[in-house]
Amino acid sequence: MTRNSQPDVIIIGGGMAGAGLAAHLARHRRVTLIEREAACGLHTTGRAVAMFTPSHGAAAGRSLATASRAFFEAPPAGFDGPLLRPRPALHIARPAQLPALSDLAARLPGGIELTAAATRRLASILRPDITGLLEPDAGDLDVRRLHRRWLGEAQEHGAEIRLCIGDYAIERNRGLWKLQGDGWSLAAPVLVNAAGAWADVVASEAGLVPLRLEPRQRTLALIDPPPVAGFTGWPIVKDVDDRFHFRPFAGKLLIAPADEEPSPPCDAEADPLDIACALMRFQSVADYEITDIRHQWAGLRTFASDGLPVIGWSGEASGFFWFAGLGGMGVQTAPAAAQLAAALLLDRPVPRALLDHGLVATAFGPSRFAAADLERAALS
């Protein structure tokens, strides 16, 4: 890259957030998306577990998921069919966890309480004392197809995508955000921070106070599926206390311990202790002997202190837009989150389809974090 360029918007980060926003903005603004890696979506997006579970997370975050459902079920032309394949979520409880299951049933619209026998019919390796609550409107998401299509759509409308950009400096000068790297430079009035686990790093490099976003590691393992009829149709099986889940995935059985170990931003790798924890939790509810692990990996999900995404204009510096902290909801909220981000950035009304699902845009704004508290945290 030897040329200089001055787009309207620079997006830092080519994961699901950056790709979705680029696809929405490219029709209206000149967009350049930059990515440090050799391909977009190698970290959190590329390692996502591809689940749609609208009961997950805080109520404000769930509004983004429910508002995204229509897009997943009937995406626009160019996506070649639905992105959501129905697969119910089965929330399970051992006898000591029954109060937690009752609490979930009380706040889960459409949840179906099951007997132990009915629970086992849905996933036959579960032990006889396991009781379940079925969430019928969950499913599997085609993460790769969504991400690739959004990147392609952005380019079709003129967006430029730059990979392998290396290190660069950020400064604010004469109303423009200027990025200077080895042999290249960019300048734009708007800079979008969609850098995932590196979002606070980007903010610091831009001279802003970080929001104390915390990357946390999620570990996953694939084992051979049980040799039983109907395995591929099993539900997503989730511990009611969110300590693990398992489900059919790519012809294997995926097991995750639902770990959230704080981590610096990095290329995450699976920890053997976390894998052992996943298998132990799985075998506490399942009569199935694990003989081998076929594949294991880890990824980072980045959380704000209140667990909600950060979407909106910075109150510190003009033209700096946050689109980060999506936690474990980044994929299942991607369509609505991208629509919200685009509306705010273009200074347009939030789409009625989002508001109808109870979405409140200010719930996600960075202004909800008190500047004084952030400054004290940065100095501590």
Side-chain angles (χ1 to χ4, degrees), residues 251-274:
K252 304 291 184 184
L253 183 64
L254 181 145
I255 303 175
D259 52 326
E260 292 186 354
E261 186 69 24
S263 169
C266 65
D267 186 0
E269 296 183 0
D271 186 319
L273 289 178
D274 291 328

Side-chain angles (χ1 to χ4, degrees), residues 13-291:
M16 190 66 80
L21 184 55
H24 282 74
L25 289 183
R27 299 172 183 267
H28 312 284
R29 299 288 188 271
R30 292 172 298 171
V31 175
T32 296
L33 183 151
I34 63 173
E35 169 61 54
R36 287 184 182 273
E37 305 293 351
C40 291
L42 291 183
H43 293 287
T44 301
T45 298
R47 305 173 195 194
V49 295
M51 295 192 308
F52 182 77
T53 50
S55 65
H56 179 74
R62 294 198 300 270
S63 68
L64 285 170
T66 56
S68 295
R69 185 182 194 91
F71 182 99
F72 288 134
E73 292 179 331
F79 280 87
D80 299 324
L83 296 159
L84 175 65
R85 184 177 64 181
R87 184 184 300 276
L90 177 62
H91 302 269
I92 60 169
R94 289 170 292 180
Q97 296 175 294
L98 289 177
L101 197 67
S102 295
D103 289 344
L104 178 60
R107 54 186 168 83
L108 182 61
I112 302 170
E113 297 184 66
L114 303 175
T115 65
T119 299
R120 200 175 192 202
R121 282 196 293 271
L122 292 176
S124 58
I125 60 174
L126 290 172
R127 294 183 177 174
D129 62 345
I130 302 297
T131 305
L133 174 70
L134 195 67
E135 181 180 357
D137 55 352
D140 300 335
L141 292 172
D142 195 332
V143 178
R144 192 174 185 181
R145 186 154 54 96
L146 174 61
H147 184 244
R148 284 185 171 183
R149 179 58 196 145
W150 268 344
L151 290 173
E153 186 175 325
Q155 290 179 300
E156 289 167 11
H157 290 93
E160 178 188 13
I161 298 176
R162 298 190 181 191
L163 306 174
C164 301
I165 61 167
D167 293 330
Y168 55 90
I170 306 175
E171 66 172 347
R172 176 79 171 164
N173 190 358
R174 296 183 179 181
L176 296 176
W177 289 100
K178 296 186 177 181
L179 280 63
Q180 183 76 47
D182 184 10
W184 64 273
S185 65
L186 284 169
V190 174
L191 181 64
V192 176
N193 183 0
W198 286 264
D200 263 358
V201 175
V202 167
S204 295
E205 291 173 346
L208 278 68
V209 176
L211 297 183
R212 300 183 69 192
L213 303 181
E214 184 177 69
R216 301 176 192 169
Q217 181 158 309
R218 159 66 62 89
T219 307
L220 304 111
L222 286 179
I223 66 172
D224 287 329
V228 297
F231 163 74
T232 58
W234 279 12
I236 302 163
V237 181
K238 297 188 65 180
D239 172 64
V240 69
D241 291 324
D242 202 24
R243 296 174 63 251
F244 65 91
H245 72 258
F246 63 89
R247 62 186 277 236
F249 184 84
K252 304 291 184 184
L253 183 64
L254 181 145
I255 303 175
D259 52 326
E260 292 186 354
E261 186 69 24
S263 169
C266 65
D267 186 0
E269 296 183 0
D271 186 319
L273 289 178
D274 291 328
I275 294 295
C277 179
L279 303 185
M280 178 185 68
R281 292 175 180 177
F282 168 75
Q283 294 196 302
S284 72
V285 300
D287 289 323
Y288 180 56
E289 182 178 357
I290 300 171
T291 58

